[in-house]
């Protein structure tokens, strides 16, 4: 079984609170693809916050904008059969997100929220994103492709 992970981090230039454009990003699923059960995303958020709490960090709030964006990212990767961070930070900025800090973790072929979290926590770059103190919000995306493989995205902002 092939399990893949990628991590990315970007520092923004803006100051102040986050603002977002009114444009939204929606996931278009390829034929045979479907979103993961909603409970999977909720469980990943809970697992992230459990780790953050154990490390004395503020808990992350679920952000519907980041969740939609992460879903779109997962859908695009599944459609292309390619795990990638290509353009993620520029797309968030173009859509109007002005947070000082952004991060993204992606993964492929982890069957459960617990499995993908174990994978992310065992990778230094992914772990760093999950434990980054200045992140305040998170969005989780997950798509199951026609072969039954899951494409995961965590987007962070703060």
């Amino acid at each position: 079984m092939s399990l893949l992970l990628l991590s990315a981090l970007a520092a923004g230039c803006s100051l102040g609170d986050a603002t977002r454009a009114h444009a939204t990003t929606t996931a278009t699923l390829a034929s045979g693809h479907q979103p993961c059960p909603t409970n999977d995303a909720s469980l990943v958020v809970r697992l992230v916050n459990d780790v953050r709490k154990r490390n004395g960090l503020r808990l992350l709030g679920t952000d519907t904008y980041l969740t939609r964006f992460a879903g779109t990212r997962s859908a695009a990767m599944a459609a292309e059969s390619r795990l990638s961070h290509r353009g993620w930070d520029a797309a968030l900025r173009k859509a109007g997100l002005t947070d000082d800090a952004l991060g993204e973790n992606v993964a492929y072929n982890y069957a459960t929220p617990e499995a993908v979290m174990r994978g992310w926590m065992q990778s230094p770059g992914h772990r760093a994103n999950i434990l980054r103190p200045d992140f305040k919000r998170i969005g989780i995306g997950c798509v199951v492709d026609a072969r039954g493989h899951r494409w995961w995205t965590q987007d962070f902002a703060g």
Side-chain angles (χ1 to χ4, degrees):
M1 175 191 305
S2 171
L3 302 176
L4 301 171
L5 301 163
L6 289 175
S7 162
L9 180 64
C13 311
S14 62
L15 299 174
D17 292 333
T19 59
R20 295 173 201 93
H22 294 287
T24 60
T25 310
T26 57
T28 302
L29 297 177
S31 178
H33 295 187
Q34 60 187 345
C36 294
T38 304
N39 291 344
D40 287 358
S42 298
L43 181 52
V44 170
V45 172
R46 192 181 91 220
L47 293 169
V48 165
N49 279 329
D50 288 349
V51 169
R52 289 178 65 86
K53 184 176 182 179
R54 285 193 304 272
N55 285 273
L57 298 170
R58 118 184 65 210
L59 302 184
L60 301 179
T62 300
D63 183 297
T64 56
Y65 180 82
L66 288 174
T67 298
R68 281 192 305 271
F69 188 82
T72 299
R73 300 275 303 139
S74 290
M77 288 186 297
E80 296 173 6
S81 293
R82 181 172 181 241
L83 199 62
S84 171
H85 287 295
R86 186 183 67 236
W88 73 274
D89 54 338
L92 278 172
R93 297 287 182 210
K94 185 177 179 181
L97 203 69
T98 62
D99 289 84
D100 290 333
L102 299 174
E104 179 173 79
N105 290 341
V106 297
Y108 166 73
N109 204 19
Y110 286 84
T112 66
E114 295 87 355
V116 76
M117 276 300 295
R118 275 192 304 276
W120 280 327
M121 291 305 293
Q122 292 171 359
S123 162
H126 297 93
R127 182 181 181 87
N129 272 345
I130 290 167
L131 295 175
R132 187 164 173 185
D134 50 347
F135 287 149
K136 298 174 186 166
R137 298 181 323 284
I138 188 171
I140 305 296
C142 181
V143 170
V144 181
D145 68 19
R147 298 168 301 166
H149 297 155
R150 291 177 184 228
W151 298 80
W152 297 90
T153 303
Q154 285 181 320
D155 282 311
F156 302 92

